[in-house]
Amino acid sequence: MSGKTEMVVLVTGGSGGVGHAIQTIVEQNKCTDEKWIFLSSKDADLSIEAETRAVFEKYRPTHVIHLAAMVGGLYRNLKYSCDFLRLNLLMNGNVLEMSRLYNVKKVVSCLSTCIFPDKTTFPLDETMIHDGPPHYSNYGYSMAKRMIDVMNHCYHRQYGCNYTAVIPTNLYGPYDNFNLEDGHVLPGLINKVYTAKKNGTPVTVWGTGRPLRQFVHFLDLAKLIIWTLREYKEISPILLSVDEEDEITIKELAEMVVEAFDFKGEVIYDTSKSDGQFKKTASNDKLKKYLPDFEFTPIRQGIKETVDWFIKNYETARK
Ligand code: NAP
Ligand code: GFB
């Protein structure tokens, strides 16, 4: 070992679901000449420029994985559209500008498949991001995320910066947000079935159960983000998704959670609640060209592991 730190990777949003998964993968593949720093909002509120500057000054990163965001499921998005837009625009603007000022060699940011146009053809691919407005249900969040792609291209054009982004589908796994009002469907259903089983009450799934989603495990995404940081050379983003054939309905998802808990009670569908976007089927053709042999965690296995993690960590899990 030379004793000289070659690579200092700053992970914003390091305390979230994806951030924890990156920590796990980094610990598994320890590399002695790399320093990894995982930030939470307690280290710096990245929507505030001075706090963002202070954290860059402190760590002087050579590389940034930018995960920090105001994040939430359908119902949180419906409620706080403006906050999602404003806070995410601020965080993204501050992180990318400080990366430029501190000569960061590469930034990988995280988009989401909800940023694609609502009225479109399927499957979605990387060329279609700006082709029309996103679904109204997450308009603020989606537009802020879309602007990361715009910023990546502008920073490259004007300053030659090497900023890119990944576009994951719906995600899940340990350290997710299991809060019923704020979180996504899978942690929400896990929390609901846990409580229903404990109390002998029915489970209520929100909406019709008909919408379709592709789910990626946090650990799979973590491996792919690290690969993107090390190997991916394009400014244009890359979709990180399971196959189109692996898309499932929310009803099928709920049945898998019920099975993982061995829950025998009643399952009710509350159709007065919004379904959100019907589908956002994404293509992984580009990913497959780069990594033809990458294997995603099968959804049933991933759900079982997440359920077991939730039961074991019930007291401390975010909920
Ligand atoms: P998460 O678990 O909710 O974590 C969010 C992270 O952002 C936390 O570390 C949080 O810090 C940090 N953060 C929030 N506001 C901040 C602020 N003002 N200043 C500094 N840090 C702040 O989210 P996740 O699921 O890991 O998501 C990671 C990335 O993936 C996000 O960019 C998200 O948009 C994207 N994504 C997520 C999904 C999904 O289904 N989860 C799907 C597609 C894309 P604290 O812990 O201190 O609050
Ligand atoms: O995961 P989710 O909130 O996100 O909801 P989206 C997916 C589907 O699950 C919707 C249904 O059709 C909901 O009606 N659902 C059923 C539930 N039961 C529940 C429940 O208990 N909780 C939740 N949350 N949903 C988000 C976007 O959309 O996806 C964000 O709003 C982000 O911007 C994220 O992109 C990945 O897939 O609908």
Side-chain angles (χ1 to χ4, degrees):
M1 205 176 86
S2 67
K4 182 169 169 276
T5 300
E6 306 289 349
M7 201 171 162
V8 179
V9 189
L10 188 71
V11 183
T12 74
S15 52
V18 182
H20 268 283
I22 293 181
Q23 283 192 50
T24 302
I25 302 298
V26 167
E27 278 159 21
Q28 280 170 8
N29 312 304
K30 201 86 193 162
C31 190
T32 47
D33 58 1
E34 292 176 8
K35 187 174 172 192
W36 287 72
I37 297 136
F38 294 89
L39 296 180
S40 79
S41 64
K42 293 187 192 76
D43 297 295
D45 181 342
L46 299 172
S47 68
I48 298 171
E49 185 182 324
E51 294 196 21
T52 314
R53 187 185 296 275
V55 94
F56 273 74
E57 179 64 31
K58 180 173 177 187
Y59 293 112
R60 302 228 162 220
T62 60
H63 294 71
V64 171
I65 295 176
H66 175 41
L67 308 173
M70 181 173 176
V71 177
L74 166 64
Y75 304 99
R76 190 179 192 205
N77 270 274
L78 282 167
K79 233 165 142 181
Y80 302 109
S81 192
C82 187
D83 294 348
F84 272 99
L85 178 71
R86 195 179 72 82
L87 292 173
N88 286 325
L89 283 175
L90 286 169
M91 277 188 242
N92 302 337
N94 288 334
V95 168
L96 294 191
E97 178 61 1
M98 289 307 146
S99 296
R100 177 183 80 79
L101 293 174
Y102 283 83
N103 298 315
V104 169
K105 292 189 181 124
K106 183 162 182 178
V107 179
V108 178
S109 298
C110 202
L111 312 181
S112 167
T113 48
C114 65
I115 72 171
F116 284 98
D118 179 40
K119 299 202 179 353
T120 185
T121 54
F122 294 100
L124 303 164
D125 72 49
E126 292 83 351
T127 66
M128 298 157 74
I129 298 175
H130 303 286
D131 285 354
H135 193 257
Y136 75 90
S137 63
N138 45 50
Y139 192 73
Y141 173 86
S142 303
M143 282 302 200
K145 287 280 181 190
R146 269 191 195 186
M147 285 308 117
I148 291 182
D149 179 56
V150 174
M151 284 191 272
N152 286 348
H153 285 282
C154 290
Y155 271 101
H156 181 66
R157 262 175 228 157
Q158 187 175 341
Y159 298 111
C161 294
N162 186 10
Y163 299 168
T164 192
V166 296
I167 317 177
T169 58
N170 288 55
L171 304 171
Y172 73 97
Y175 299 98
D176 208 338
N177 182 1
F178 294 83
N179 182 281
L180 298 186
E181 299 301 322
D182 290 348
H184 292 96
V185 57
L186 188 43
L189 290 176
I190 289 175
N191 194 353
K192 284 177 182 175
V193 177
Y194 177 92
T195 308
K197 188 169 177 179
K198 197 170 73 181
N199 299 341
T201 49
V203 167
T204 306
V205 180
W206 292 337
T208 62
R210 286 199 290 265
L212 292 152
R213 296 290 184 268
Q214 288 154 298
F215 290 91
V216 167
H217 196 289
F218 286 145
L219 285 172
D220 296 337
L221 182 69
K223 289 177 197 159
L224 290 169
I225 288 179
I226 294 171
W227 167 82
T228 306
L229 185 74
R230 297 193 198 285
E231 309 292 343
Y232 183 70
K233 307 280 185 238
E234 299 181 39
I235 302 296
S236 292
I238 181 163
L239 267 162
L240 303 179
S241 173
V242 295
D243 292 343
E244 287 157 57
E245 301 75 57
D246 291 331
E247 186 173 54
I248 56 171
T249 63
I250 298 302
K251 183 167 187 282
E252 287 168 324
L253 183 77
E255 285 165 359
M256 288 182 202
V257 175
V258 162
E259 185 188 303
F261 273 101
D262 194 25
F263 174 69
K264 304 289 184 206
E266 191 186 359
V267 179
I268 298 162
Y269 286 81
D270 179 354
T271 55
S272 71
K273 289 271 203 178
S274 169
D275 266 347
Q277 205 163 357
F278 179 62
K279 66 175 189 170
K280 35 191 174 179
T281 319
S283 156
N284 61 11
D285 284 357
K286 186 175 188 177
L287 173 65
K288 283 204 158 156
K289 280 194 191 116
Y290 278 105
L291 292 175
D293 299 325
F294 187 83
E295 282 183 26
F296 286 95
T297 306
I299 181 85
R300 271 177 212 281
Q301 179 192 322
I303 289 176
K304 181 72 182 117
E305 285 168 8
T306 309
V307 165
D308 291 346
W309 182 91
F310 183 71
I311 294 170
K312 196 165 161 222
N313 296 278
Y314 184 77
E315 292 309 323
T316 53
R318 259 190 299 169
K319 56 185 185 304

